[in-house]
Amino acid sequence: ALVRLRGNAEDVEDAARRANELAGGRCRQLSETAAGQNWYRLAQIENQSGLNIRLAQPMSDLRATLRIARELSGVPEEEMLIAAHAGDGVVRLFVDYGNVGVTSNDTRAWAERIARARTALAAHNGTVVIARALTDVARFVDPWGEVPAGTLSIMRQLKKTFDPAGIMAPSRFVV
């Protein structure tokens, strides 16, 4: 696990203590150089992952979001590739097909696991979004998931207000 903390010294110390408790006492502070190398590696993992799934719910439920990410990943915890943002409750799961034996033939199974994760998170106003998939997972499950009633029209109105020419992110979620 890699944790980055920001804030005043007292808040950082408190957050470090809580993070260490969550990690079962396995946290240690890295040098600035080692931390930079690790954050760079995480960015590479994100950019090279075959499947990138974003799970989110209120930050007070981060522990539950991490549990759902573990269930969704289908691999032992030590093989999981995740980035969790305690400040906003977002957990990103990265799946490297080569390392976990996932093939494009497993897309239906992934779609089913994603649907289960969406159901679990929806019960707590959470979401699951497929940020990237190098296979046809989207053929079996909508990358965005179900949009709550009335939300799409509000989103379209906002987009029209701030992007009347429709030039920003064309053909994306809100068109």
Side-chain angles (χ1 to χ4, degrees):
L2 187 60
V3 178
R4 183 182 313 184
L5 304 171
R6 293 189 177 134
N8 65 45
E10 187 177 294
D11 288 344
V12 168
E13 188 176 310
D14 182 56
R17 181 189 52 74
R18 288 185 289 132
N20 198 33
E21 286 173 9
L22 281 172
R26 296 176 292 184
C27 289
R28 61 184 170 86
Q29 187 170 347
L30 298 176
S31 69
E32 213 170 300
T33 301
Q37 291 169 340
N38 278 279
W39 287 111
Y40 178 76
R41 183 174 183 288
L42 180 62
Q44 286 181 313
I45 289 169
E46 182 173 7
N47 291 330
Q48 296 169 359
S49 64
L51 186 58
N52 182 334
I53 302 171
R54 181 185 180 276
L55 301 89
Q57 66 178 337
M59 64 184 175
S60 59
D61 293 329
L62 183 60
R63 197 178 301 232
T65 309
L66 287 167
R67 180 185 46 76
I68 292 166
R70 278 193 292 275
E71 293 167 3
L72 174 59
S73 75
V75 299
E77 188 171 335
E78 61 273 5
E79 294 178 28
M80 281 180 49
L81 299 172
I82 65 167
H85 300 267
D88 61 11
V90 173
V91 174
R92 292 174 297 145
L93 171 64
F94 310 116
V95 180
D96 177 358
Y97 292 132
N99 286 346
V100 296
V102 178
T103 68
S104 60
N105 296 331
D106 296 323
T107 55
R108 209 178 284 266
W110 273 102
E112 290 170 5
R113 290 206 307 263
I114 290 167
R116 284 194 303 272
R118 281 186 171 148
T119 299
L121 285 171
H124 302 282
N125 297 317
T127 59
V128 176
V129 172
I130 302 170
R132 176 163 76 190
L134 297 181
T135 65
D136 56 354
V137 171
R139 194 174 86 198
F140 298 104
V141 61
D142 185 314
W144 297 102
E146 207 171 300
V147 179
T151 304
L152 191 56
S153 64
I154 293 169
M155 292 169 73
R156 284 185 174 139
Q157 289 171 359
L158 284 169
K159 177 144 174 80
K160 187 174 181 178
T161 299
F162 292 104
D163 183 21
I167 60 173
M168 295 187 294
S171 303
R172 293 287 175 99
F173 180 55
V174 178
V175 292

